[in-house]
């Protein structure tokens, strides 16, 4: 059973702060890692993907991957109220399908 | 621009009826997926396809079927709708990486299905 675990939250941070979202996975064969943002009533939107150990930065978002610890995280710098959403972690093994965590609800208050 | 569309966006049907949800993508992706999303369960995989004529069962496939006759479409059929199938359904597509793992997966807007 391939599992992806996320803190369900809710995570609440003030505007301008760094939001840190964490995810662990059980399958050591996992090779692709994704973060999706989902606003209420909308479909998941891909915001970051990472394939190699280390950090990957895209604007205010940084994805961090540590395969040895089976851990992937998403940092959101200078958080904005528009970042308030549920963030889904997804992990792919060698068979091409994704395994999703249940998501972490983030609220950024002004 | 390439996109993935779903229709209808909202559907109300009665128990026992057959229902088909459409999914169409213009990304030219080989891989297509159907998920359902319910409170407390997150996204659950129903069926998926790695190419034309290929279909595979996901973790909650009972009562659902799919067929893949071309690259662009993967319709999802509920053979005999049940109230437990009331949910939001998402279609997604992706390419495969050389390693066999999934590349970026893109989602359609979703279909909200209510079975009365």
């Amino acid at each position: 059973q391939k599992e992806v675990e996320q803190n369900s939250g809710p995570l609440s941070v003030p505007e301008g702060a760094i939001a840190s979202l964490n995810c662990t996975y059980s399958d050591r064969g996992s090779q692709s890692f994704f973060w999706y943002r989902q606003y209420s009533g909308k479909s998941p939107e891909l915001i970051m993907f990472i394939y190699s150990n280390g950090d990957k930065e895209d604007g205010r978002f940084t994805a961090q991957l540590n395969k040895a610890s089976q851990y992937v995280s998403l940092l959101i710098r200078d958080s904005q109220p528009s970042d308030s959403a549920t963030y889904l972690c997804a992990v792919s093994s060698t068979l091409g399908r994704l395994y999703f965590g249940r998501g972490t609800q983030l609220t950024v208050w002004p | 621009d390439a996109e993935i569309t779903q229709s209808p966006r909202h559907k109300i049907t009665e128990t026992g009826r057959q229902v088909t949800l459409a999914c169409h993508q213009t990304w030219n992706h080989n891989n297509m997926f159907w998920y359902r999303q319910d409170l407390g369960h997150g996204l659950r995989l129903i069926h998926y396809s790695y190419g034309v004529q290929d279909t595979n069962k996901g973790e909650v496939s009972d009562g659902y079927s799919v067929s893949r006759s071309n690259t662009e479409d993967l319709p999802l059929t509920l053979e005999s709708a049940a109230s437990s199938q009331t949910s939001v359904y998402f279609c997604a597509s992706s390419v495969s990486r050389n390693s066999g793992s999934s590349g970026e997966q893109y989602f359609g807007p979703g279909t909200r299905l209510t079975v009365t």
Side-chain angles (χ1 to χ4, degrees), chain A residues 35-106:
Chain A
W35 283 100
Y36 288 83
R37 177 177 62 198
Q38 187 174 24
Y39 294 114
S40 181
K42 301 295 186 181
S43 61
E45 173 192 9
L46 179 67
I47 55 172
M48 289 288 288
F49 58 90
I50 185 166
Y51 299 142
S52 303
N53 273 332
D55 294 359
K56 180 181 179 181
E57 186 174 317
D58 184 2
R60 296 186 296 111
F61 298 99
T62 298
Q64 300 174 317
L65 174 61
N66 184 325
K67 289 186 177 181
S69 300
Q70 295 174 245
Y71 176 90
V72 59
S73 65
L74 179 70
L75 300 178
I76 306 175
R77 292 182 300 281
D78 187 25
S79 295
Q80 301 296 309
S82 58
D83 295 325
S84 298
T86 297
Y87 289 80
L88 304 172
C89 173
V91 173
S92 175
S93 65
T94 57
L95 295 180
R97 57 164 289 189
L98 292 186
Y99 296 85
F100 284 84
R102 293 193 177 187
T104 298
Q105 185 179 344
L106 171 67

Side-chain angles (χ1 to χ4, degrees), chain B residues 78-93:
Chain B
L78 286 68
E79 305 293 346
S80 177
S83 58
S84 60
Q85 294 176 309
T86 293
S87 187
V88 179
Y89 291 85
F90 291 107
C91 179
S93 70

Side-chain angles (χ1 to χ4, degrees), chain B residues 2-18:
Chain B
E3 61 177 356
I4 180 166
T5 58
Q6 294 183 236
S7 63
R9 296 294 311 279
H10 301 271
K11 175 77 176 178
I12 300 174
T13 191
E14 295 177 344
T15 300
R17 289 189 179 271
Q18 184 181 80

